[in-house]
Amino acid sequence: MLTANQTKKKGEKVIRGGFFFYQALKYPNSEFIGLDLNPSPPPTILPKNTRFIKGNLQSIPYEDEEFDFLKTGELQVDFTEVEYKHAIDEMIRVTKRGGWIEINEPDIYPLKHAPNYAKIVESFYGLLALRGISVMTDKLQYILYSTKSLQDIQFDCKTINVGPQGGELGNQCAEIYAIYFKDLYGHELADHLGLTYDEYLQTLWKNAEEEMMNSCIEVKYYRFWGQKR
């Protein structure tokens, strides 16, 4: 991403699954587009070079070779491997020759001993497996190579401490995990574990939150990128 940012020229476009205001402000001559299934109203006034559109990575609503840079991430909880491969093909299709794509994915299983959080993640991965969905971090580099359309494919991996000891990023991760494991999937996880929702909240989730607060949870975040031939 840094390399792509450094090479931006007037009139370039960027399409992103997420949205970062500071990049739009830093590169006022580039256009930033947020693609989302259900784009919500922005929390503040958008910079003039930004906008959100409704769309799906399975069928990006743009012509071939429209964009200089595409960035997305955390698709593995929503897409099967076949759907993921198709999304990557779509990203490559709308990227200009010489442009770049970037994908970010976490492996949220804890590196340290955090038994309550680990049990939740194991159950979550089990729910995904029932839908034909699996963790893709160990496959993504191979998938990018297998497209035959990318060159200079690279990846890096960083460890993030989830919770206050991880600073702003760690707190953001903790908030996201709370949304997933308490709000979005809490009832399903409780049922999968043979618990009532209240039992789940008062035992596993409560203890997992304590593990986050006590700096017991470390996870890996992967970044993959490549240039269209």
Side-chain angles (χ1 to χ4, degrees), residues 1-215:
M1 186 173 71
L2 177 62
T3 303
N5 285 343
Q6 289 175 330
T7 60
K8 296 202 183 309
K9 301 179 180 66
K10 186 174 182 179
E12 288 188 342
K13 294 181 180 180
V14 178
I15 185 169
R16 304 192 57 142
F19 189 82
F20 296 91
F21 291 102
Y22 73 85
Q23 289 190 329
L25 294 171
K26 187 174 182 181
Y27 300 102
N29 291 325
S30 295
E31 182 183 358
F32 290 78
I33 302 173
L35 180 70
D36 200 293
L37 280 174
N38 296 292
S40 57
T44 186
I45 297 174
L46 290 172
K48 292 182 179 180
N49 59 332
T50 61
R51 59 191 172 98
F52 286 98
I53 65 168
K54 185 174 183 178
N56 190 331
L57 278 175
Q58 294 293 300
S59 181
I60 299 175
Y62 285 94
E63 300 296 327
D64 296 355
E65 301 189 14
E66 285 264 354
F67 296 94
D68 301 281
F69 178 59
L70 284 87
K71 177 180 172 64
T72 191
E74 301 185 8
L75 303 179
Q76 61 186 1
V77 300
D78 297 310
F79 289 164
T80 64
E81 184 171 339
V82 171
E83 291 169 334
Y84 209 129
K85 289 179 178 177
H86 183 69
I88 291 173
D89 288 339
E90 273 289 277
M91 292 173 67
I92 294 170
R93 177 184 67 79
V94 299
T95 301
K96 295 177 183 177
R97 296 183 185 277
W100 295 79
I101 70 168
E102 180 181 322
I103 301 172
N104 296 288
E105 286 290 357
D107 183 347
I108 60 175
Y109 196 82
L111 300 175
K112 289 184 176 181
H113 181 65
N116 296 282
Y117 172 78
K119 190 170 184 178
I120 290 173
V121 173
E122 288 167 358
S123 182
F124 180 60
Y125 283 172
L127 286 176
L128 295 180
L130 293 174
R131 302 171 186 173
I133 297 172
S134 60
V135 178
M136 297 290 293
T137 51
D138 59 341
K139 301 177 182 178
L140 270 174
Q141 193 173 22
Y142 169 76
I143 290 173
L144 292 176
Y145 275 111
S146 69
T147 67
K148 307 297 185 182
S149 300
L150 298 174
Q151 61 187 6
D152 197 16
I153 297 169
Q154 301 178 54
F155 85 99
D156 64 18
C157 176
K158 296 187 182 300
T159 299
I160 294 176
N161 197 319
V162 180
Q165 296 301 316
E168 182 179 355
L169 183 57
N171 284 327
Q172 288 176 357
C173 288
E175 291 174 4
I176 291 170
Y177 295 169
I179 291 171
Y180 267 88
F181 298 144
K182 187 170 70 173
D183 301 328
L184 293 178
Y185 292 95
H187 289 278
E188 291 181 71
L189 287 167
D191 186 61
H192 194 248
L193 290 161
L195 302 171
T196 67
Y197 183 58
D198 286 339
E199 288 172 339
Y200 169 76
L201 291 181
Q202 294 303 316
T203 55
L204 272 181
W205 178 249
K206 181 180 179 180
N207 292 333
E209 284 189 312
E210 291 180 0
E211 290 169 348
M212 291 183 197
M213 294 300 295
N214 293 327
S215 189

